[in-house]
Amino acid sequence: MYGEKLKDKSRAYYVGLMNSCGYRNKDLKKPSVGIINSFTDVNPGHKVFRELAQYVKEGVWAAGGAPGEFNVPAPCDGMAQGSGMHSILPQRDLIAASIEAMVNAHEFDGLVFLCSCDKIVPGMLMAAAALDKPSIFLTAGSMIPYDDGERELVTPDLKEAIGEVKVGKITEEAFENYKENICYSCGTCSMYGTANTMGVFAEVIGVCPIDSATMLNASAAKIKQARDVGERIVELTYEGKTFTHFVNKTSISNGLKHISATGGSSNAALHVVAIAKVLGLDFDLKLFDEIQKDIPVIAKFKPSSKYNMYDYYKAGGVGATLKAIERYLERDVEMVMGGTMGDLLDGFNKKVNTEIIHTEENALHKGGCFSVLYGNLAPKGCVVKKSGVDESMYFHRGPAVVFDSEEDLRDYMLNKTIKPGSVLVIRYEGPKGGPGMRELSIPAAMLVGMGLHTSVAMITDGRFSGASRGPCVGHISPEAWEGGPIAAVQDGDMITIDLNNKTINVDLTDEEIEERLKKAVKPNHPAKGFLRAYRNNVSGADEGAVWLYGKDK
């Protein structure tokens, strides 16, 4: 089966070139396994893959396969905060397309995806969906938290420190110390942002070993796990079990329910919809909300609580959070490392710390992690991570303070006074308007650091980090660049946000909005190179902000 290329004389070029890379003819008779490595020196969640890839390859060789490694981009959202963020979300689709092109060109039989961070995990899931080959995912594991002698700190604490130092809550010396030490080691940032949300999602839908994301990167268990993955992919290749053998609408529903139960990232509303679309499933923001809206939130992690990812692992890990919502899950879906979801649940026997991972009866919230809001400001919807909002802000009404870019907002926050009760409106930062739908992570964290997250709301057609907390409403659709109603808002307009009733409205009539939109002027947000192509072709946030994997035209 796997030696056909040697028999076909017309494939002599392939055989000769593979020999030049050091592969022997007998190696070419083995399953060819692509090791898709997102290693880079400039991303702590991915720097570790230089070493982990070797252990995966050892497992492949040991099981009788022939591994071949290649690389893809791996941007760090944290490093790109500000102007570099324009290029982050578009890379999700670029990563997916580059993998698909490379795998099809080289005809790998099975695939191992090494990924950790915000756009790399969903990008690789999209690629796996498009290719539908035997596939396993492996994430890097979490970063070691920093202990300053009083408490354990992780990356969102550094972002909030920007606001704290501005208002004098911490000293400049403490701030400098945080900058040097909070990001204490390599591994994925030890918070439940988009990276770990999507990493755990990959585990729950069945294509990644359980607890791959929550265990410490600096552990022997991670090395052993990498070898296991290398061996298992060869078995899967012989078995002919492809990505869609494991991933379907049922397993995606399980994954989304678990995201909601654990207080996951609002960016899941983009990525889960996008992955489902590549699979050809009928899936939109309304279905996203319908699946998650009644799931009890049984755990919350940094920055929505004091607990980090290693706390999650020690408290019982992903098996424990799945067990807590067992009655909501479909048991019959298969898991890539063996068995079914039901087998995993029945075999779970770890001791659970119920202060961190609650029971359903003692849930932190009863009605889902997210609120998907609709109204005259967001006819096609918008998303807020309700589990990260203080209950006093579930209903908020206040005057708009309008900004046409993230830069304008940051300048205002650093140099002017924000009045309690305000609604900060940041527009023209959507998929097309930014372009690239920037993440307003630092302004959101500054709001918390300044102590304003219980009196000031922030809304945008851009997005927020999965690690954001506070009354931050993102993904407003349609976006301002496309003539969405958010483009009609002016300073002083009264805006009402109601998370319980899932509404967001501005005190304007339809006629007033229409008249203002006729006079709206787009700001100068230039789009050059690939960002121009992105602006011209990307879908709205309500459809997953899909670019290269959109509908056929």
Side-chain angles (χ1 to χ4, degrees):
M1 175 182 177
Y2 295 105
E4 294 303 311
K5 295 183 182 72
L6 292 178
K7 297 178 182 178
D8 185 349
K9 289 184 173 59
S10 68
R11 302 303 303 276
Y13 210 12
Y14 173 88
V15 174
L17 291 169
M18 288 295 280
N19 267 267
S20 76
C21 293
Y23 291 87
R24 303 163 298 177
N25 283 350
K26 68 178 183 179
D27 297 327
L28 302 181
K29 295 178 181 179
K30 302 172 181 177
S32 173
V33 176
I35 311 296
I36 304 162
N37 194 350
S38 52
F39 158 78
T40 170
D41 272 333
V42 290
N43 183 336
H46 293 257
K47 186 172 183 179
V48 298
F49 284 134
R50 185 201 292 272
E51 180 181 4
L52 279 177
Q54 305 311 310
Y55 297 118
V56 174
K57 286 193 279 189
E58 286 177 7
V60 172
W61 284 119
E69 180 183 349
F70 66 92
N71 291 84
V72 295
C76 174
D77 285 46
M79 293 183 186
Q81 293 297 328
S83 60
M85 184 56 69
H86 291 293
S87 299
I88 292 294
L89 182 58
Q91 286 195 65
R92 181 195 67 184
D93 289 42
L94 284 175
I95 290 164
S98 66
I99 293 168
E100 185 184 355
M102 181 68 175
V103 169
N104 283 332
H106 281 246
E107 299 179 284
F108 292 105
D109 301 306
L111 303 170
V112 175
F113 295 84
L114 302 181
C115 50
S116 281
C117 290
D118 298 43
K119 306 307 169 293
I120 301 89
V121 179
M124 288 191 176
L125 285 166
M126 290 168 69
L131 290 161
D132 198 23
K133 290 178 176 286
S135 303
I136 303 181
F137 285 67
L138 181 70
T139 52
S142 61
M143 183 183 290
I144 299 171
Y146 170 60
D147 190 336
D148 72 349
E150 296 181 1
R151 56 184 178 136
E152 287 189 333
L153 302 165
V154 294
T155 39
D157 297 303
L158 179 56
K159 288 187 287 187
E160 292 180 9
I162 301 171
E164 290 172 344
V165 74
K166 178 186 183 299
V167 297
K169 288 185 179 179
I170 61 172
T171 65
E172 290 286 350
E173 291 76 17
F175 187 49
E176 290 300 316
N177 177 57
Y178 286 173
K179 285 194 289 183
E180 290 184 18
N181 293 298
I182 279 182
C183 301
Y184 195 69
S185 73
C186 282
T188 312
C189 295
S190 194
M191 60 182 177
Y192 208 47
T194 306
N196 283 312
T197 295
M198 297 310 297
V200 171
F201 175 78
E203 298 173 24
V204 176
I205 65 174
V207 293
C208 183
I210 296 294
D211 285 329
S212 182
T214 58
M215 68 170 58
L216 287 180
N217 166 258
S219 64
K222 178 55 69 175
I223 294 172
K224 296 172 186 176
Q225 194 177 69
R227 285 200 178 100
D228 289 342
V229 163
E231 291 178 347
R232 181 61 180 147
I233 189 59
V234 178
E235 295 171 358
L236 279 183
T237 304
Y238 278 118
E239 293 167 5
K241 292 182 176 179
T242 68
F243 185 77
T244 53
H245 181 86
F246 302 96
V247 182
N248 49 49
K249 203 165 189 175
T250 302
S251 59
I252 286 176
S253 178
N254 277 349
L256 177 50
K257 289 173 183 176
H258 186 264
I259 287 174
S260 185
T262 49
S265 167
S266 56
N267 285 318
L270 293 175
H271 302 319
V272 173
V273 171
I275 294 160
K277 284 185 177 296
V278 179
L279 285 167
L281 302 175
D282 185 14
F283 207 102
D284 58 16
L285 186 59
K286 286 187 178 180
L287 181 57
F288 175 95
D289 188 34
E290 184 64 28
I291 290 170
Q292 70 85 38
K293 67 182 177 62
D294 296 320
I295 305 300
V297 179
I298 46 82
K300 294 199 293 188
F301 304 100
K302 283 278 189 175
S304 295
S305 79
K306 65 182 180 180
Y307 302 114
N308 57 55
M309 285 297 97
Y310 191 45
D311 291 327
Y312 184 3
Y313 181 73
K314 291 184 291 184
V318 173
T321 46
L322 286 169
K323 192 72 176 175
I325 60 164
E326 180 174 9
R327 74 182 183 94
Y328 296 92
L329 301 174
E330 297 294 333
R331 296 170 56 88
D332 293 336
V333 291
E334 289 191 47
M335 313 292 282
V336 76
M337 299 305 286
T340 64
M341 175 62 74
D343 295 329
L344 172 67
L345 293 168
D346 291 342
F348 179 78
N349 58 7
K350 290 183 180 179
K351 183 178 180 180
V352 178
N353 183 340
T354 54
E355 290 185 12
I356 298 176
I357 299 173
H358 293 230
T359 62
E360 181 182 350
E361 294 72 24
N362 191 33
L364 297 164
H365 302 280
K366 297 294 185 182
C369 169
F370 309 107
S371 280
V372 176
L373 316 178
Y374 295 90
N376 69 354
L377 260 182
K380 293 186 177 180
C382 57
V383 181
V384 59
K385 184 174 175 177
K386 184 174 68 174
S387 64
V389 180
D390 188 285
E391 288 192 18
S392 66
M393 291 294 286
Y394 278 13
F395 180 91
H396 181 74
R397 178 174 168 83
V401 184
V402 181
F403 307 90
D404 284 347
S405 71
E406 180 185 354
E407 286 80 6
D408 290 346
L409 170 66
R410 284 201 197 192
D411 179 70
Y412 190 95
M413 294 182 78
L414 288 171
N415 298 300
K416 296 184 180 180
T417 301
I418 299 172
K419 294 180 180 179
S422 303
V423 178
L424 307 181
V425 179
I426 310 94
R427 60 193 181 190
Y428 296 105
E429 289 290 6
K432 292 179 182 289
M437 200 179 183
R438 283 196 288 181
E439 174 184 288
L440 275 66
S441 170
I442 289 180
M446 288 172 65
L447 200 71
V448 174
M450 295 162 71
L452 294 171
H453 61 293
T454 56
S455 62
V456 174
M458 190 179 288
I459 70 172
T460 182
D461 54 6
R463 58 193 179 86
F464 294 101
S465 166
S468 294
R469 62 186 175 113
C472 300
V473 182
H475 307 200
I476 287 180
S477 301
E479 61 175 294
W481 196 269
E482 290 278 82
I486 192 173
V489 179
Q490 297 176 2
D491 286 344
D493 288 343
M494 294 301 294
I495 293 174
T496 304
I497 303 165
D498 188 339
L499 303 192
N500 288 321
N501 291 308
K502 299 186 175 183
T503 58
I504 182 167
N505 290 289
V506 59
D507 285 4
L508 296 173
T509 65
D510 291 346
E511 291 74 20
E512 287 172 321
I513 290 173
E514 186 177 348
E515 283 302 311
R516 286 191 187 181
L517 289 176
K518 290 177 183 178
K519 302 173 184 177
V521 178
K522 293 178 180 178
N524 180 27
H525 288 184
K528 299 178 180 179
F530 85 97
L531 286 176
R532 180 182 298 169
Y534 184 81
R535 172 175 281 170
N536 290 339
N537 293 283
V538 68
S539 71
D542 59 303
E543 296 182 347
V546 176
W547 172 26
L548 296 175
Y549 289 84
K551 296 178 182 178
D552 293 334
K553 295 182 179 179

